[in-house]
Structures are given as structure tokens and as C-alpha cells.
Amino acid sequence: MSRALARLRGVLNDPLLVRGPKGFVLSPRAEALRPALAALLEEIRGLISTKDFDPGSEPRTLRIAMTDAHASVIFAPLVRRVLVEAPSITLESVGIAQGLADRVLTGEVDLVLGLASTPLPRGAASEPLLEDVLTVVVRRDHPCGQTWKLHDYERYPSAVVSLLGDATSDLDAELAAEGITRSISAIVPSFAGALDVVAATDSVTTISRAFAERHVAALGLKLLTAPLRNTAMPIVTIWARYRSTDPLLGWLRALLRELALTKGASG
């Protein structure tokens, strides 16, 4: 304490604390500094203390990048919850596109719903969200019958979803290992577009079961077990690691986890 007082006396060029008849007393300069110092200390306490977080008081727009398949499964329920708990927040769904990693790391995009198999850029963090599987989707009266075999990919053309301008996938690598090359009837930018093609032709598409189940009745489709070595496609939430302490993003991620649990329990 004495060394700290000595440094302050040198900086302020004032004795600050002097001996009086009944002990030490503040100098006139120190007395004048007290109100300003008290205000400064209060500001510092506010910076380092943890306040109760109220998402309802946050007028912000939060952008979540996702495919139309993920949006169909979870975005509307998320908007419904946010309208109840934090109506001043606007949720914006943005597409998966080139440059997305940079937009996440700069904060332009707050969260991404992606596949666990997708490599994360440096500086990103992720956590599990939903379990999903690949399924083969054909129209209800498709000539393949009630089962789908690997060689059926040669017999019937595929409607392929290309989000980033690349029509190839892990499915093609597995088929190539078996000496199979599938023909492509259509390349579309959305999963909904693939289902439209399938509903009107003998084409097939191999996509998220959670998404496809929502459109079976309306489009006259049927779902078949995919004859692949690995059909699991777990969905994760991705964000910039440096924003892990943002209370609003933490709250939104918790809402997503809660909704995902509800969907998992309901099948």
C-alpha cells in the first residue's frame, strides 16, 4: 500500500494522505477526486460484473445461415419461440453460399446450421443439434417398387442439390467405389426443388429424412432406406469462437437445443 501511495503521489504531485491530529486524513486534492473516483469505480464494476440477461430488451437482427431443409424443420418453431420471449429480435434466415466462413468470423452471420462432417474454419466453434439420416425419395408410384438397391442409381436418374456449385457428394464417392456412376436429371439449388422434380418424374433424390417426411403427403412421395454404408448426417450449430460469451447468442443456441430435443422426442 505504501508503495502504491508513493506512486500516486508522484503521478498527481500531491501528498493525498497526510497525518492529522486524530490519524491520517485526505488532502484537499484527494477530497476533490473522491466523487470522480467513485463514479469510475462504479463503471469498472459494471464492466466486470455479470448482470441478469434479458433477451426481451435486445432489439437486434440475428442471422442464421441454413439450407431450406433445415429451415423447414426448425426455423419456423424458432421464430415462434422468439416472438414470445424476445419480440424485439428479428431472425433472418440466409442461404449457404460461398464466403460463408468469412461472414461468420466477421459477425455478419451469427450462427450456421450445418453438418458435423463439414470442416470448420479456424476460429469457429460447434455443438451438436439434431440427429438426421439420409433417405431415398421417389414418387409414390415409382417403378422401383418398395426397396432401393445401390445399382438402382444407374437405372434411374438423380435430382441433385448443389448449394455451392458442386454437384458431387460423398454418395458419388461411395458409388464410384462400387463401379457405379449415376446419371443426373437435374441440378437444383434447393432441397424443395429436388422434391418437385422427383414428384413429377422417375428421378430420385437422396436427402434429409427429417425434411422429406414433411412433404411426403403433399407431393405424393415415398421414402426408402438408403443402401449406403453410412446414412447418419448429424446437424450442428456453428459460430465464431470469439463470440462464445455473447449472452444473446448463448440464449439463441439454448433455444435451438431445446427445440431440437423436442423434435427428437417426437421423432
Side-chain angles (χ1 to χ4, degrees):
M1 285 294 294
S2 60
R3 286 195 294 270
L5 180 59
R7 288 196 296 270
L8 284 172
R9 282 170 170 166
V11 170
L12 296 174
N13 193 26
D14 187 89
L16 298 177
L17 193 64
V18 296
R19 188 180 297 277
K22 295 183 179 180
F24 287 97
V25 295
L26 296 177
S27 70
R29 176 75 187 280
E31 285 286 358
L33 289 173
R34 285 182 69 180
L37 183 60
L40 179 60
L41 289 173
E42 186 61 31
E43 288 185 15
I44 293 173
R45 290 190 192 98
L47 289 174
I48 63 176
S49 64
T50 302
K51 296 181 178 179
D52 292 336
F53 172 68
D54 177 15
S57 64
E58 295 280 342
R60 281 169 59 177
T61 295
L62 296 176
R63 296 177 179 87
I64 309 174
M66 64 187 83
T67 67
D68 65 312
H70 295 155
S72 175
V73 171
I74 205 166
F75 188 63
L78 181 64
V79 172
R80 183 168 60 245
R81 284 291 300 275
V82 170
L83 279 172
V84 173
E85 299 186 22
S88 60
I89 291 176
T90 299
L91 294 181
E92 181 179 351
S93 173
V94 300
I96 304 294
Q98 296 286 356
L100 179 59
D102 290 338
R103 296 175 69 196
V104 171
L105 296 178
T106 59
E108 183 183 347
V109 171
D110 299 289
L111 297 176
V112 178
L113 302 188
L115 298 180
S117 58
T118 303
L120 291 181
R122 179 176 296 181
S126 70
E127 63 184 6
L129 182 62
L130 274 171
E131 294 295 328
D132 197 3
V133 295
L134 286 170
T135 189
V136 171
V137 187
V138 295
R139 60 185 171 85
R140 188 172 296 142
D141 56 349
H142 194 280
C144 73
Q146 299 305 312
T147 60
W148 185 266
K149 297 179 177 61
L150 211 56
H151 280 278
D152 286 330
Y153 282 109
E154 286 185 313
R155 298 176 60 199
Y156 304 103
S158 288
V160 176
V161 179
S162 176
L163 300 174
L164 301 176
D166 183 0
T168 60
S169 66
D170 293 341
L171 170 59
D172 293 289
E174 184 169 339
L175 292 176
E178 299 294 330
I180 299 171
T181 301
R182 61 176 177 165
S183 63
I184 307 298
S185 61
I187 301 173
V188 295
S190 69
F191 292 92
L195 292 185
D196 287 338
V197 171
V198 166
T201 69
D202 282 348
S203 298
V204 58
T205 193
T206 308
I207 59 173
S208 154
R209 185 178 186 91
F211 170 69
E213 285 176 335
R214 303 172 65 87
H215 303 277
V216 166
L219 294 178
L221 306 172
K222 64 181 176 183
L223 309 184
L224 305 175
T225 301
L228 306 173
R229 288 193 295 269
N230 181 20
T231 60
M233 48 183 303
I235 301 167
V236 297
T237 306
I238 303 167
W239 68 95
R241 189 178 298 277
Y242 74 89
R243 302 185 67 195
S244 294
T245 56
D246 184 329
L248 188 57
L249 286 191
W251 168 81
L252 186 62
R253 284 163 39 214
L255 271 188
L256 280 167
R257 291 194 300 270
E258 185 179 334
L259 289 170
L261 284 173
T262 300
K263 289 187 174 299
S266 63

